[in-house]
Amino acid sequence: MTHQQLIWYGYHNTLELHPKWLVNTEVEERRFMNPDAQHHFLVRSQLRRQLGNNWDASVGFMYSLQSPQEPKSTENLVVPELRPHLQLDYRQALNKLTIAHRYRAERRYFRNTANEDLAEGYQANYRFRYRLSLEYPLFLIRQQALRVRVNDEIMINAGKRVANNRFDQNRIYLGLSYPIHKSINLEAGYLKWFQQRASGSQFYSRDIIRLIVNHKINLRRKETDAVE
C-alpha cells in the first residue's frame, strides 16, 4: 500500500440557461503535498436537463493532464486524457436530509506513450461510477445554513485493456459547505481515496484536502413586466 497526501483546489460553475437546462463546468488543480508536485489538472463541462420526479440527465466531456503518480518521480511526462460521459442523478428528501444518487458511464481515451514521451493516437477503456451522497443542514450562521455532506463513490473499469484492476477505486468524503453570497458557496472537506493499480496487487491510499468554490450564474431570460 502506497500512502500519499494531496490537496485539491477547484472552481465549479453552474450556468442556469432555462428552468430545465443547466451547464456545469469544473476546473480543478490537484497537487501532492510533502513534496509539492502537480498530480492532475482537469476541465470538465456537461449539459444537464431536469427530467422531472427528481431525475436529471447529463452529457459531458473532460480534458485532463495526468502527471506522474509519484511526487518524487524523476520523470516529468504529462499524459492527456479525453473523457466523454453520460450521467443520471436522482435526489430524494427525507425531512431535512437530502439523499442523492449519481450514476455515470465514461469512455476514457489515454494518449499513447513510448520511450517516456507522447506518441500518436489514444487507447481507451470504459469506467462506471456510482456515488451516494447525504446532505444535512447543521445550523444557521447569519441566517445561512452550514451544511455537512457525506459521499461514498465506487468506480469499476471495463474494456479490453483492463486485466487485473476491474475495481478501480473508492472515494469516501466528508465536507462542510456554506454560502457566502446568494450565488457563491464555499466547500471544504476531507477525501479518503483508495485506488487499485494496474497490477491488481498494489494500491494507493490517499488522504486529500478538498477546497471548492461553487458559483451559480443565472442566464435565464427575465419576463417582461408588462405587455404592450
Side-chain angles (χ1 to χ4, degrees):
M1 184 79 71
T2 301
H3 295 271
Q4 297 174 336
Q5 294 79 42
L6 295 93
I7 185 167
W8 290 5
Y9 304 99
Y11 171 76
H12 294 186
N13 178 276
T14 298
L15 300 179
E16 300 179 356
L17 306 177
H18 180 272
K20 291 186 177 182
W21 290 94
L22 306 171
V23 174
N24 301 125
T25 300
E26 304 172 5
V27 180
E28 292 193 10
E29 169 74 359
R30 301 174 176 180
R31 303 190 66 84
F32 290 108
M33 298 188 295
N34 302 319
D36 174 69
Q38 187 178 57
H39 177 246
H40 200 190
F41 173 80
L42 67 87
V43 179
R44 178 189 290 114
S45 190
Q46 65 178 16
L47 178 64
R48 185 167 182 164
R49 190 183 192 281
Q50 297 178 1
L51 302 178
N53 296 320
N54 300 320
W55 283 95
D56 292 354
S58 306
V59 57
F61 184 85
M62 187 194 83
Y63 174 77
S64 76
L65 298 172
Q66 179 65 66
S67 297
Q69 297 282 3
E70 301 291 341
K72 296 181 180 180
S73 174
T74 57
E75 299 180 10
N76 57 7
L77 180 62
V78 177
V79 181
E81 179 188 344
L82 310 176
R83 191 191 303 174
H85 74 263
L86 298 174
Q87 179 175 308
L88 285 173
D89 292 87
Y90 177 69
R91 298 174 67 87
Q92 54 190 134
L94 297 176
N95 295 321
K96 293 183 178 182
L97 177 67
T98 301
I99 305 173
H101 307 264
R102 189 179 77 179
Y103 309 87
R104 179 183 288 177
E106 302 173 323
R107 178 69 165 168
R108 305 181 70 189
Y109 294 88
F110 303 94
R111 182 72 176 269
N112 289 328
T113 61
N115 300 320
E116 300 183 5
D117 203 354
L118 297 179
E120 293 295 327
Y122 287 81
Q123 298 186 38
N125 66 269
Y126 293 96
R127 186 167 70 181
F128 301 95
R129 306 169 59 163
Y130 168 70
R131 187 182 74 184
L132 173 65
S133 299
L134 305 176
E135 185 175 289
Y136 189 83
L138 295 177
F139 49 82
L140 297 179
I141 302 176
R142 297 182 179 179
Q143 306 304 312
Q144 299 293 334
L146 177 70
R147 297 179 180 272
V148 61
R149 182 155 63 93
V150 179
N151 296 343
D152 188 13
E153 183 173 23
I154 188 170
M155 307 184 196
I156 303 296
N157 291 318
K160 295 180 179 180
R161 296 180 63 245
V162 180
N164 300 316
N165 62 329
R166 294 289 178 183
F167 167 77
D168 178 37
Q169 58 184 269
N170 189 69
R171 298 179 182 179
I172 302 171
Y173 176 72
L174 174 63
L176 296 172
S177 66
Y178 181 76
I180 62 170
H181 185 268
K182 63 180 181 180
S183 61
I184 298 177
N185 182 288
L186 300 182
E187 183 175 339
Y190 166 76
L191 178 69
K192 186 64 177 182
W193 179 6
F194 294 100
Q195 183 176 27
Q196 188 176 31
R197 301 170 73 170
S199 66
S201 60
Q202 298 172 304
F203 290 82
Y204 288 111
S205 174
R206 292 172 170 141
D207 298 297
I208 301 168
I209 297 173
R210 187 170 179 267
L211 304 172
I212 303 295
V213 176
N214 297 294
H215 184 196
K216 290 185 178 181
I217 301 176
N218 188 349
L219 298 180
R220 288 182 290 177
R221 183 180 301 175
K222 296 181 179 180
E223 297 181 358
T224 55
D225 295 331
V227 178
E228 295 182 358

